[in-house]
Amino acid sequence: MIEIIGIGCRFPGGAHSPDTFWQFLKGQRTAIGEMPPDRWQAENFLSEAPDEPGRSCTFRAGWLDHIDRFDAAYFRLSPREALEMDPQQRLTIEVAHEALFDANINPQALEDRRVGVYVGAGMAESLGLAFSDPEHMTAHTMSGNALAVIANRLSYVLNLEGPSLAVDTACSSALTALYLACQSLSTGDCDLALVAGVNAMLGPSPFVGLSHAHMLSPRGKCSPFDEQADGFVRGEGCGVVVLGRRDR
């Protein structure tokens, strides 16, 4: 039998732990709002017409605060390397440690153990941003921004020996990662598994593309199975579960 023994999360609306997330849900609050001012100049890419070239009909979404903050020294990473890392890598590392603490597991006790890492992530926006400015590419740019490295970085930081892979199946990435982790635990490929889902919204281009496809809700509101439904709302965040086997 496979069980969840630890949970970590970093979601919009200040839901930075399983307890605060549960309180957020109980309070029936919304985390959808305007884009933080430290991202990009939204007014330069905004239009009420969803098909206007280079423009999006909305930037209302579920945003994280202070996505740029990261304690590199705590994770034994150099400041230069951390600066080049995709925020999705940094979020996954931070929240994975929180999930391990929630499971009452010392991360250092996992070194050289068969612990699988499975990360659902649909896009590496930071890599596209890096490619657009070749003059500022460094030795850390590729490893810091490749989608596959989101999982590999966590395995490296924790010095794990189990399977390590990023999964991109679009909107089902995190669930697919969970499925693969359960398979690995069932077959004995690993003794413990860290499963994550992560997303960070770093530039206007995905908003523009989705707006042109008429997939975004201009109201910034999801209304599934409702005649008022006019699209979906994007969001960013990270969730991690620690999975283990339990004898029946």
Side-chain angles (χ1 to χ4, degrees):
M1 182 180 296
I2 296 171
E3 61 180 351
I4 297 174
I5 58 177
I7 302 175
C9 65
R10 191 75 54 81
F11 297 140
H16 293 172
S17 69
D19 182 64
T20 56
F21 183 50
W22 175 242
Q23 296 303 320
F24 181 90
L25 294 175
K26 286 178 61 178
Q28 299 184 351
R29 296 164 53 197
T30 179
I32 306 304
E34 300 298 331
M35 185 184 71
D38 59 350
R39 299 301 178 97
W40 61 87
Q41 296 295 321
E43 60 272 15
N44 294 339
F45 303 95
L46 191 62
S47 172
E48 293 183 0
D51 297 316
E52 185 172 343
R55 307 276 176 145
S56 173
C57 64
T58 183
F59 288 111
R60 288 185 59 81
W63 299 94
L64 290 176
D65 295 324
H66 311 304
I67 199 172
D68 57 329
R69 297 183 181 180
F70 182 71
D71 189 350
Y74 180 83
F75 299 106
R76 295 175 291 177
L77 293 166
S78 71
R80 179 74 177 273
E81 188 174 13
L83 185 63
E84 291 281 350
M85 287 167 55
D86 182 347
Q88 294 181 131
Q89 290 189 26
R90 301 198 297 252
L91 279 170
T92 302
I93 291 171
E94 290 176 331
V95 180
H97 277 72
E98 293 167 7
L100 289 170
F101 292 139
D102 184 63
N104 200 28
I105 296 174
N106 182 347
Q108 294 182 353
L110 298 179
E111 291 190 1
D112 300 320
R113 287 185 55 187
R114 293 194 308 165
V115 180
V117 176
Y118 300 83
V119 179
M123 194 178 299
E125 292 187 35
S126 60
L127 186 59
L129 295 173
F131 278 1
S132 67
D133 190 11
E135 291 187 1
H136 289 85
M137 297 278 283
T138 75
H140 297 299
T141 303
M142 294 303 297
S143 62
N145 295 278
L147 187 64
V149 182
I150 296 176
N152 304 158
R153 178 82 68 174
L154 181 57
S155 296
Y156 170 77
V157 168
L158 294 173
N159 197 23
L160 306 178
E161 296 292 336
S164 180
L165 64 152
V167 180
D168 180 5
T169 56
C171 297
S172 63
S173 297
L175 285 177
T176 305
L178 180 66
Y179 171 77
L180 293 173
C182 290
Q183 275 193 324
S184 289
L185 286 166
S186 298
T187 59
D189 289 339
C190 57
D191 302 318
L192 199 72
L194 293 166
V195 185
V198 65
N199 186 50
M201 303 180 297
L202 307 178
S205 294
F207 280 93
V208 173
L210 292 168
S211 177
H212 285 207
H214 292 236
M215 295 174 66
L216 295 180
S217 168
R219 300 178 297 128
K221 186 176 181 180
C222 293
S223 303
F225 313 112
D226 192 305
E227 64 181 8
Q228 294 182 344
D230 56 359
F232 81 105
V233 183
R234 299 187 72 201
E236 58 186 7
C238 181
V240 177
V241 294
V242 184
L243 301 182
R245 287 192 300 268
R246 184 176 67 177
D247 294 336
R248 294 177 182 269

